[in-house]
């Protein structure tokens, strides 16, 4: 976005004073050494600590007028102390020597009086990211030197572009710009030391179409590590308006059982449900419908899921996880068969397995189909849908990861013979996640990245649609 100034990014992702932070990485590293040293002095068997700082600006406008300007700056240091297999945690936002000592002592005292946990402890040194691996630069830090005035101007351009698309765009819930950056450093008594800076910037707008009972709202946004990679505000505004307009004159439909096509913006949620169900916490608590799924066919043979934590500028990229464990590229699902879970050191020990480097969650997942043709855009996917429901919005939290039951409020479009007929609303789609995964017929070439997950539109063979 060439309209605003920007601090040049450095290939060295360690924080410096001119990046807008109050503390340098050297400051953080000293705090870590002090915390670990204090823990050892008190008698801790092992310890880990992490210190972080975040700073940002958020600006919103509505109908051209400035609504909010928020600046945030926060900092924290968290300490985990082990006394044998007893564990204690404490944190503080006060970086003074006295506060640090009190925090370490609090964590130590908690550990002394906590019940033993056979799974408690630091990761194995063999699993930790050490030396160059811990310092791997993934180009995650791109500070954006945008001030409140320039941010408000960008938001107005975005909203104005939405409002002029069509006279039927009658109102707006506003537009916003956010510029956020943070850095951290972590270490433990097993020898791990590592930290880096990262950034996340966004632009969004939510226009309203129609009047009276036939009002419809939609939104669109752009979010990137580097502000220069975001879509232009005019493009974001226009597309948001087009989405809102397309929903006018929505109808209810009769209850039926039909094929359902999930828009690419929603398909990441299906992948997220899979991650949740195969994560260590759910597995060792036996609170998942995918218990003992390792090596089992959960998806059709044409489905693969790849994880790559080392994509430059990736929103889920990291050289190591929250425990300092080295991250690795891997196949999560191959030809429909589960190849690995998402485990931290703790959950891995509970399961009698080895950590997969997922303390903190998954990293840059991509779900693909071996049947996908490069020409399988949305139009082609609607043809594959034939007659059924194209879902563009989901509401509610009706997903039970223990049983796999899935029920969500939805809105979208009724499709016949591969052509959209009219928008629909006030419906519910329901099924079972296990069956939904097995019934993935196709994945579009219209891949979209939502957070750290990338997938095209997903066609499911059959689901129950509750209407009137």
């Amino acid at each position: 976005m060439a309209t605003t100034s920007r601090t040049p990014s450095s290939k060295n992702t360690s924080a410096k004073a001119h990046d807008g932070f109050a503390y340098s990485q050297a400051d953080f590293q000293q705090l870590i050494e002090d915390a670990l040293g204090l823990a050892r002095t008190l008698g801790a068997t092992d310890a880990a600590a992490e210190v972080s700082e975040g700073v940002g600006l958020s600006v919103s406008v509505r109908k051209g007028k400035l609504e909010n300007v928020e600046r945030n700056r926060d900092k924290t240091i968290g300490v985990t102390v082990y006394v044998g297999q007893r564990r204690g945690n404490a944190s503080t936002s006060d970086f003074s020597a006295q506060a640090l000592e009190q925090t370490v002592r609090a964590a130590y005292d908690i550990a002394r009086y906590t019940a033993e946990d056979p799974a408690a402890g630091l990761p194995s040194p063999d699993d930790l990211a050490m030396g160059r691996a811990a310092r791997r630069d993934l180009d995650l830090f791109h500070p954006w030197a945008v001030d409140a005035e320039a941010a408000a101007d960008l938001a107005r351009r975005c909203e104005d572009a939405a409002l002029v698309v069509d006279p039927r765009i009658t109102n707006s819930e506003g537009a916003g710009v956010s510029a956020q950056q943070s850095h951290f450093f972590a270490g433990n008594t097993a020898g791990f030391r590592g930290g880096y800076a990262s950034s996340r910037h966004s632009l969004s707008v939510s226009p309203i179409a129609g009047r009276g009972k036939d009002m419809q709202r939609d939104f669109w946004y752009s979010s990137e590590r580097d502000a220069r990679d975001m879509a232009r505000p005019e493009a974001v505004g226009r597309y948001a308006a087009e989405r809102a307009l397309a929903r006018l004159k929505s109808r209810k439909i009769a209850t039926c059982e039909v094929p359902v096509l999930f828009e690419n913006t929603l398909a990441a949620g299906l992948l997220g449900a899979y991650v949740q169900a195969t994560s260590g916490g759910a597995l060792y608590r036996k609170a998942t419908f995918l218990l003992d799924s390792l090596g089992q066919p959960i998806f059709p043979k044409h489905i693969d899921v790849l994880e790559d934590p080392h994509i430059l500028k990736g929103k889920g990229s990291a050289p190591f996880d929250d425990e300092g464990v080295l991250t690795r590229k891997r196949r999560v699902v191959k030809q429909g068969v589960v190849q690995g879970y998402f485990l931290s050191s703790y959950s891995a020990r509970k399961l009698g397995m080895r950590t997969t480097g997922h303390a903190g969650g998954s990293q840059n997942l991509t779900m693909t189909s071996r049947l996908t043709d490069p020409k399988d855009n949305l139009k082609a996917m609607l043809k594959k849908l034939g007659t059924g429901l194209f879902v563009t919005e989901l509401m509610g939290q009706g997903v039970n990861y223990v049983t796999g039951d899935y029920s969500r409020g939805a809105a979208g479009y009724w499709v016949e013979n591969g052509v959209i007929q009219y928008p629909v609303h006030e419906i519910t789609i329901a099924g079972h996640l296990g069956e939904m995964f097995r019934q993935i017929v196709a994945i579009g070439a219209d891949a979209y990245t939502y957070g750290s997950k990338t997938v095209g539109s997903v066609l499911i063979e059959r689901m129950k649609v509750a209407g009137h």
Side-chain angles (χ1 to χ4, degrees):
M1 304 173 76
T3 57
T4 58
S5 60
R6 179 183 172 280
T7 302
S9 92
S10 166
K11 289 304 288 181
N12 181 357
T13 55
S14 62
K16 305 179 187 70
H18 67 72
D19 290 326
F21 296 123
Y23 299 86
S24 68
Q25 189 181 81
D27 295 331
F28 278 6
Q29 188 163 3
Q30 188 58 56
L31 284 166
I32 294 299
E33 301 303 336
D34 292 345
L36 298 180
L38 286 165
R40 284 292 204 196
T41 301
L42 287 172
T45 310
D46 273 312
E50 180 177 317
V51 58
S52 63
E53 177 187 14
V55 59
L57 168 71
S58 297
V59 175
S60 64
V61 302
R62 182 174 178 273
K63 301 190 80 173
K65 294 182 179 179
L66 186 67
E67 282 218 317
N68 291 297
V69 177
E70 296 180 11
R71 292 190 180 276
N72 60 283
R73 183 180 290 275
D74 55 79
K75 58 188 175 77
T76 186
I77 181 166
V79 181
T80 301
V81 168
Y82 296 93
V83 178
Q85 290 183 305
R86 297 182 173 94
R87 174 176 54 190
N89 303 88
S91 63
T92 181
S93 58
D94 185 346
F95 288 179
S96 69
Q98 182 181 9
L100 185 61
E101 184 176 355
Q102 290 173 344
T103 303
V104 175
R105 186 173 292 279
Y108 176 72
D109 288 341
I110 292 168
R112 285 196 301 149
Y113 296 106
T114 298
E116 285 196 359
D117 185 342
L122 296 178
S124 166
D126 293 340
D127 292 323
L128 293 172
M130 297 292 199
R132 291 179 62 185
R135 296 190 298 271
R136 183 169 184 166
D137 182 9
L138 298 174
D139 199 20
L140 306 180
F141 185 47
H142 296 268
W144 185 18
V146 61
D147 60 22
E149 186 178 352
D153 180 61
L154 286 170
R156 286 191 190 95
R157 285 170 53 192
C158 187
E159 186 182 53
D160 288 347
L163 292 171
V164 301
V165 165
D166 189 288
R168 292 173 295 169
I169 300 293
T170 55
N171 210 334
S172 167
E173 290 188 349
V177 168
S178 176
Q180 302 290 328
Q181 61 188 61
S182 62
H183 71 120
F184 77 96
F185 197 84
N188 62 36
T189 49
F192 168 75
R193 300 290 187 277
Y196 52 88
S198 62
S199 56
R200 183 74 66 89
H201 313 301
S202 64
L203 167 70
S204 62
V205 65
S206 181
I208 297 171
R211 297 181 185 278
K213 294 182 179 179
D214 190 31
M215 284 198 300
Q216 294 290 339
R217 176 201 61 84
D218 213 312
F219 82 103
W220 196 245
Y221 72 101
S222 181
S223 176
E224 299 290 347
R225 296 266 188 201
D226 187 340
R228 295 175 300 184
D229 295 334
M230 293 198 302
R232 289 181 58 79
E234 290 80 9
V236 173
R238 282 194 299 270
Y239 188 56
E242 289 165 2
R243 291 178 67 90
L245 289 165
R247 297 176 61 162
L248 288 174
K249 297 184 179 179
S250 287
R251 310 184 198 175
K252 297 179 181 179
I253 56 173
T255 297
C256 55
E257 194 168 330
V258 293
V260 173
L261 178 66
F262 285 79
E263 187 181 29
N264 54 9
T265 58
L266 304 179
L270 297 174
L271 186 51
Y274 170 77
V275 173
Q276 174 75 18
T278 52
S279 290
L283 291 164
Y284 79 73
R285 294 186 184 98
K286 301 186 185 302
T288 170
F289 71 99
L290 289 182
L291 198 64
D292 300 321
S293 56
L294 191 64
Q296 299 300 312
I298 299 301
F299 296 93
K301 286 186 177 181
H302 62 94
I303 299 296
D304 295 305
V305 179
L306 177 70
E307 183 172 40
D308 186 355
H310 304 145
I311 296 172
L312 297 183
K313 294 185 179 180
K315 292 176 187 173
S317 294
F320 49 82
D321 75 356
D322 288 359
E323 297 179 303
V325 171
L326 183 68
T327 55
R328 291 182 170 88
K329 184 176 180 179
R330 64 173 185 153
R331 288 235 175 241
V332 178
V333 173
K334 182 179 180 181
Q335 290 185 285
V337 177
V338 177
Q339 304 295 305
Y341 294 144
F342 298 87
L343 308 177
S344 66
S345 295
Y346 183 83
S347 61
R349 291 189 188 112
K350 296 285 282 186
L351 293 165
M353 303 177 78
R354 185 175 182 179
T355 177
T356 58
H358 288 94
S362 62
Q363 305 130 1
N364 296 331
L365 291 176
T366 303
M367 183 162 73
T368 58
S369 166
R370 299 183 180 209
L371 303 178
T372 300
D373 187 287
K375 297 178 182 177
D376 283 342
N377 56 17
L378 178 58
K379 186 176 180 180
M381 291 299 288
L382 289 170
K383 285 188 181 299
K384 290 185 180 185
L385 170 66
T387 296
L389 182 67
F390 174 39
V391 177
T392 59
E393 183 181 15
L394 292 170
M395 294 152 274
Q397 304 295 323
V399 183
N400 188 323
Y401 297 106
V402 180
T403 64
D405 291 334
Y406 183 98
S407 179
R408 304 283 303 274
Y413 301 88
W414 183 252
V415 179
E416 292 180 4
N417 298 317
V419 179
I420 289 176
Q421 300 299 306
Y422 48 82
V424 296
H425 65 169
E426 295 183 18
I427 56 174
T428 301
I429 56 173
H432 185 276
L433 280 168
E435 293 177 3
M436 290 164 65
F437 292 158
R438 287 189 293 271
Q439 290 184 25
I440 294 178
V441 177
I443 296 179
D446 54 339
Y448 179 82
T449 300
Y450 185 85
S452 63
K453 298 173 180 65
T454 301
V455 61
S457 49
V458 171
L459 176 58
I460 293 176
E461 189 173 11
R462 212 156 194 81
M463 289 187 72
K464 292 176 182 176
V465 180
H468 62 79

PDB file of all heavy atoms in Angstrom, residues 63 75 110 139 142 156 169 178 185 189 222 233 259 273 283 285 289 319 346 412 442:
ATOM      1  N   LYS A  63     -18.999   5.760   8.377  1.00  0.00           N
ATOM      2  CA  LYS A  63     -19.608   6.787   7.525  1.00  0.00           C
ATOM      3  C   LYS A  63     -18.710   8.019   7.445  1.00  0.00           C
ATOM      4  O   LYS A  63     -19.156   9.163   7.544  1.00  0.00           O
ATOM      5  CB  LYS A  63     -21.012   7.137   8.014  1.00  0.00           C
ATOM      6  CG  LYS A  63     -21.951   5.913   8.023  1.00  0.00           C
ATOM      7  CD  LYS A  63     -23.386   6.270   8.257  1.00  0.00           C
ATOM      8  CE  LYS A  63     -24.027   6.777   6.973  1.00  0.00           C
ATOM      9  NZ  LYS A  63     -25.480   6.973   7.110  1.00  0.00           N
ATOM     10  N   LYS A  75       3.420  -5.784  28.100  1.00  0.00           N
ATOM     11  CA  LYS A  75       4.625  -6.592  28.283  1.00  0.00           C
ATOM     12  C   LYS A  75       4.367  -7.583  29.405  1.00  0.00           C
ATOM     13  O   LYS A  75       3.548  -7.338  30.302  1.00  0.00           O
ATOM     14  CB  LYS A  75       5.838  -5.723  28.617  1.00  0.00           C
ATOM     15  CG  LYS A  75       5.707  -4.854  29.863  1.00  0.00           C
ATOM     16  CD  LYS A  75       6.885  -3.902  29.984  1.00  0.00           C
ATOM     17  CE  LYS A  75       6.723  -2.925  31.147  1.00  0.00           C
ATOM     18  NZ  LYS A  75       6.994  -3.525  32.438  1.00  0.00           N
ATOM     19  N   ILE A 110       4.597 -22.423  44.342  1.00  0.00           N
ATOM     20  CA  ILE A 110       3.475 -23.179  43.769  1.00  0.00           C
ATOM     21  C   ILE A 110       3.924 -24.594  43.433  1.00  0.00           C
ATOM     22  O   ILE A 110       3.234 -25.581  43.711  1.00  0.00           O
ATOM     23  CB  ILE A 110       2.912 -22.469  42.520  1.00  0.00           C
ATOM     24  CG1 ILE A 110       2.238 -21.155  42.921  1.00  0.00           C
ATOM     25  CG2 ILE A 110       1.919 -23.378  41.789  1.00  0.00           C
ATOM     26  CD1 ILE A 110       1.912 -20.260  41.735  1.00  0.00           C
ATOM     27  N   ASP A 139      11.328 -14.156   8.092  1.00  0.00           N
ATOM     28  CA  ASP A 139      10.831 -12.901   7.520  1.00  0.00           C
ATOM     29  C   ASP A 139       9.450 -12.532   8.057  1.00  0.00           C
ATOM     30  O   ASP A 139       8.541 -12.183   7.315  1.00  0.00           O
ATOM     31  CB  ASP A 139      10.799 -13.013   5.986  1.00  0.00           C
ATOM     32  CG  ASP A 139      10.742 -11.649   5.300  1.00  0.00           C
ATOM     33  OD1 ASP A 139      11.098 -10.662   5.958  1.00  0.00           O
ATOM     34  OD2 ASP A 139      10.343 -11.595   4.127  1.00  0.00           O
ATOM     35  N   HIS A 142       7.729  -7.003   9.948  1.00  0.00           N
ATOM     36  CA  HIS A 142       7.645  -5.879   9.022  1.00  0.00           C
ATOM     37  C   HIS A 142       6.899  -4.733   9.700  1.00  0.00           C
ATOM     38  O   HIS A 142       5.690  -4.560   9.499  1.00  0.00           O
ATOM     39  CB  HIS A 142       6.945  -6.300   7.730  1.00  0.00           C
ATOM     40  CG  HIS A 142       7.698  -7.335   6.963  1.00  0.00           C
ATOM     41  ND1 HIS A 142       8.600  -7.013   5.987  1.00  0.00           N
ATOM     42  CD2 HIS A 142       7.708  -8.685   7.080  1.00  0.00           C
ATOM     43  CE1 HIS A 142       9.124  -8.129   5.508  1.00  0.00           C
ATOM     44  NE2 HIS A 142       8.603  -9.153   6.162  1.00  0.00           N
ATOM     45  N   ARG A 156     -11.140   5.181   5.597  1.00  0.00           N
ATOM     46  CA  ARG A 156     -12.156   5.949   4.856  1.00  0.00           C
ATOM     47  C   ARG A 156     -12.170   5.567   3.380  1.00  0.00           C
ATOM     48  O   ARG A 156     -13.244   5.434   2.778  1.00  0.00           O
ATOM     49  CB  ARG A 156     -11.876   7.452   4.993  1.00  0.00           C
ATOM     50  CG  ARG A 156     -12.211   8.029   6.353  1.00  0.00           C
ATOM     51  CD  ARG A 156     -12.163   9.550   6.323  1.00  0.00           C
ATOM     52  NE  ARG A 156     -12.245  10.115   7.668  1.00  0.00           N
ATOM     53  CZ  ARG A 156     -11.190  10.456   8.402  1.00  0.00           C
ATOM     54  NH1 ARG A 156      -9.965  10.323   7.904  1.00  0.00           N
ATOM     55  NH2 ARG A 156     -11.350  10.950   9.617  1.00  0.00           N
ATOM     56  N   ILE A 169     -26.283   0.010  -1.453  1.00  0.00           N
ATOM     57  CA  ILE A 169     -25.428   0.028  -0.260  1.00  0.00           C
ATOM     58  C   ILE A 169     -25.826   1.266   0.524  1.00  0.00           C
ATOM     59  O   ILE A 169     -25.496   2.387   0.165  1.00  0.00           O
ATOM     60  CB  ILE A 169     -23.937   0.065  -0.626  1.00  0.00           C
ATOM     61  CG1 ILE A 169     -23.547  -1.169  -1.444  1.00  0.00           C
ATOM     62  CG2 ILE A 169     -23.082   0.169   0.632  1.00  0.00           C
ATOM     63  CD1 ILE A 169     -23.618  -2.470  -0.675  1.00  0.00           C
ATOM     64  N   SER A 178      -5.583  -1.918  11.491  1.00  0.00           N
ATOM     65  CA  SER A 178      -4.824  -2.325  12.666  1.00  0.00           C
ATOM     66  C   SER A 178      -3.384  -2.593  12.275  1.00  0.00           C
ATOM     67  O   SER A 178      -3.119  -3.241  11.260  1.00  0.00           O
ATOM     68  CB  SER A 178      -5.438  -3.588  13.286  1.00  0.00           C
ATOM     69  OG  SER A 178      -4.657  -4.058  14.368  1.00  0.00           O
ATOM     70  N   PHE A 185      11.427 -13.338  23.815  1.00  0.00           N
ATOM     71  CA  PHE A 185      12.621 -14.178  23.954  1.00  0.00           C
ATOM     72  C   PHE A 185      12.305 -15.204  25.028  1.00  0.00           C
ATOM     73  O   PHE A 185      11.626 -14.903  26.013  1.00  0.00           O
ATOM     74  CB  PHE A 185      13.848 -13.354  24.342  1.00  0.00           C
ATOM     75  CG  PHE A 185      15.141 -14.095  24.107  1.00  0.00           C
ATOM     76  CD1 PHE A 185      15.730 -14.102  22.854  1.00  0.00           C
ATOM     77  CD2 PHE A 185      15.764 -14.804  25.133  1.00  0.00           C
ATOM     78  CE1 PHE A 185      16.909 -14.793  22.607  1.00  0.00           C
ATOM     79  CE2 PHE A 185      16.934 -15.504  24.907  1.00  0.00           C
ATOM     80  CZ  PHE A 185      17.518 -15.495  23.649  1.00  0.00           C
ATOM     81  N   THR A 189      16.387 -24.204  31.268  1.00  0.00           N
ATOM     82  CA  THR A 189      17.616 -24.722  31.858  1.00  0.00           C
ATOM     83  C   THR A 189      18.166 -25.933  31.109  1.00  0.00           C
ATOM     84  O   THR A 189      19.211 -26.471  31.485  1.00  0.00           O
ATOM     85  CB  THR A 189      17.378 -25.085  33.333  1.00  0.00           C
ATOM     86  OG1 THR A 189      16.194 -25.894  33.442  1.00  0.00           O
ATOM     87  CG2 THR A 189      17.197 -23.826  34.173  1.00  0.00           C
ATOM     88  N   SER A 222      -8.287  -7.663   4.626  1.00  0.00           N
ATOM     89  CA  SER A 222      -6.980  -8.113   4.148  1.00  0.00           C
ATOM     90  C   SER A 222      -6.044  -8.065   5.329  1.00  0.00           C
ATOM     91  O   SER A 222      -6.013  -7.078   6.073  1.00  0.00           O
ATOM     92  CB  SER A 222      -6.474  -7.204   3.023  1.00  0.00           C
ATOM     93  OG  SER A 222      -5.219  -7.656   2.540  1.00  0.00           O
ATOM     94  N   PRO A 233      -7.148  -0.680  -0.323  1.00  0.00           N
ATOM     95  CA  PRO A 233      -8.402  -0.436   0.397  1.00  0.00           C
ATOM     96  C   PRO A 233      -9.619  -0.369  -0.521  1.00  0.00           C
ATOM     97  O   PRO A 233     -10.706  -0.821  -0.154  1.00  0.00           O
ATOM     98  CB  PRO A 233      -8.145   0.901   1.106  1.00  0.00           C
ATOM     99  CG  PRO A 233      -6.930   1.495   0.477  1.00  0.00           C
ATOM    100  CD  PRO A 233      -6.143   0.360  -0.043  1.00  0.00           C
ATOM    101  N   PRO A 259     -26.044 -32.001  -1.388  1.00  0.00           N
ATOM    102  CA  PRO A 259     -24.611 -31.677  -1.357  1.00  0.00           C
ATOM    103  C   PRO A 259     -24.415 -30.248  -0.855  1.00  0.00           C
ATOM    104  O   PRO A 259     -25.241 -29.373  -1.101  1.00  0.00           O
ATOM    105  CB  PRO A 259     -24.187 -31.808  -2.821  1.00  0.00           C
ATOM    106  CG  PRO A 259     -25.241 -32.621  -3.477  1.00  0.00           C
ATOM    107  CD  PRO A 259     -26.510 -32.316  -2.749  1.00  0.00           C
ATOM    108  N   ALA A 273     -11.213 -27.994  12.680  1.00  0.00           N
ATOM    109  CA  ALA A 273     -11.911 -29.006  13.469  1.00  0.00           C
ATOM    110  C   ALA A 273     -11.096 -30.296  13.512  1.00  0.00           C
ATOM    111  O   ALA A 273     -11.023 -30.967  14.554  1.00  0.00           O
ATOM    112  CB  ALA A 273     -13.296 -29.275  12.870  1.00  0.00           C
ATOM    113  N   LEU A 283      -6.741 -35.816  22.877  1.00  0.00           N
ATOM    114  CA  LEU A 283      -6.440 -37.250  22.785  1.00  0.00           C
ATOM    115  C   LEU A 283      -6.186 -37.869  24.151  1.00  0.00           C
ATOM    116  O   LEU A 283      -6.752 -38.911  24.473  1.00  0.00           O
ATOM    117  CB  LEU A 283      -5.228 -37.464  21.864  1.00  0.00           C
ATOM    118  CG  LEU A 283      -5.465 -37.168  20.383  1.00  0.00           C
ATOM    119  CD1 LEU A 283      -4.144 -37.034  19.639  1.00  0.00           C
ATOM    120  CD2 LEU A 283      -6.312 -38.270  19.747  1.00  0.00           C
ATOM    121  N   ARG A 285      -7.097 -36.832  27.015  1.00  0.00           N
ATOM    122  CA  ARG A 285      -8.313 -36.761  27.839  1.00  0.00           C
ATOM    123  C   ARG A 285      -9.423 -37.649  27.286  1.00  0.00           C
ATOM    124  O   ARG A 285     -10.499 -37.750  27.877  1.00  0.00           O
ATOM    125  CB  ARG A 285      -8.819 -35.317  27.902  1.00  0.00           C
ATOM    126  CG  ARG A 285      -7.893 -34.362  28.633  1.00  0.00           C
ATOM    127  CD  ARG A 285      -8.530 -32.982  28.783  1.00  0.00           C
ATOM    128  NE  ARG A 285      -7.639 -32.022  29.392  1.00  0.00           N
ATOM    129  CZ  ARG A 285      -6.894 -31.133  28.735  1.00  0.00           C
ATOM    130  NH1 ARG A 285      -6.968 -31.084  27.401  1.00  0.00           N
ATOM    131  NH2 ARG A 285      -6.098 -30.308  29.364  1.00  0.00           N
ATOM    132  N   PHE A 289     -13.607 -37.497  18.966  1.00  0.00           N
ATOM    133  CA  PHE A 289     -14.173 -38.574  18.165  1.00  0.00           C
ATOM    134  C   PHE A 289     -13.109 -39.227  17.278  1.00  0.00           C
ATOM    135  O   PHE A 289     -13.383 -40.247  16.648  1.00  0.00           O
ATOM    136  CB  PHE A 289     -15.331 -38.049  17.306  1.00  0.00           C
ATOM    137  CG  PHE A 289     -14.913 -37.151  16.173  1.00  0.00           C
ATOM    138  CD1 PHE A 289     -14.787 -37.645  14.879  1.00  0.00           C
ATOM    139  CD2 PHE A 289     -14.628 -35.809  16.405  1.00  0.00           C
ATOM    140  CE1 PHE A 289     -14.407 -36.820  13.833  1.00  0.00           C
ATOM    141  CE2 PHE A 289     -14.240 -34.988  15.375  1.00  0.00           C
ATOM    142  CZ  PHE A 289     -14.126 -35.488  14.085  1.00  0.00           C
ATOM    143  N   PRO A 319      10.199 -21.011  13.848  1.00  0.00           N
ATOM    144  CA  PRO A 319      11.334 -21.938  13.851  1.00  0.00           C
ATOM    145  C   PRO A 319      11.257 -22.949  14.988  1.00  0.00           C
ATOM    146  O   PRO A 319      11.865 -24.011  14.929  1.00  0.00           O
ATOM    147  CB  PRO A 319      12.550 -21.014  14.023  1.00  0.00           C
ATOM    148  CG  PRO A 319      12.012 -19.783  14.676  1.00  0.00           C
ATOM    149  CD  PRO A 319      10.598 -19.638  14.186  1.00  0.00           C
ATOM    150  N   TYR A 346       4.198 -32.253  26.906  1.00  0.00           N
ATOM    151  CA  TYR A 346       3.351 -32.784  27.980  1.00  0.00           C
ATOM    152  C   TYR A 346       2.353 -33.804  27.438  1.00  0.00           C
ATOM    153  O   TYR A 346       2.249 -34.927  27.947  1.00  0.00           O
ATOM    154  CB  TYR A 346       2.615 -31.642  28.674  1.00  0.00           C
ATOM    155  CG  TYR A 346       1.773 -32.098  29.837  1.00  0.00           C
ATOM    156  CD1 TYR A 346       2.345 -32.300  31.085  1.00  0.00           C
ATOM    157  CD2 TYR A 346       0.404 -32.330  29.681  1.00  0.00           C
ATOM    158  CE1 TYR A 346       1.570 -32.731  32.163  1.00  0.00           C
ATOM    159  CE2 TYR A 346      -0.369 -32.768  30.743  1.00  0.00           C
ATOM    160  CZ  TYR A 346       0.219 -32.960  31.981  1.00  0.00           C
ATOM    161  OH  TYR A 346      -0.538 -33.399  33.035  1.00  0.00           O
ATOM    162  N   GLY A 412     -26.185 -18.536   2.690  1.00  0.00           N
ATOM    163  CA  GLY A 412     -25.443 -18.771   1.447  1.00  0.00           C
ATOM    164  C   GLY A 412     -26.355 -18.654   0.238  1.00  0.00           C
ATOM    165  O   GLY A 412     -27.182 -17.732   0.167  1.00  0.00           O
ATOM    166  N   ALA A 442     -14.579 -33.057  -3.429  1.00  0.00           N
ATOM    167  CA  ALA A 442     -13.634 -32.247  -4.203  1.00  0.00           C
ATOM    168  C   ALA A 442     -13.183 -31.046  -3.393  1.00  0.00           C
ATOM    169  O   ALA A 442     -13.897 -30.577  -2.492  1.00  0.00           O
ATOM    170  CB  ALA A 442     -14.282 -31.778  -5.507  1.00  0.00           C
TER     171      ALA A 442
END
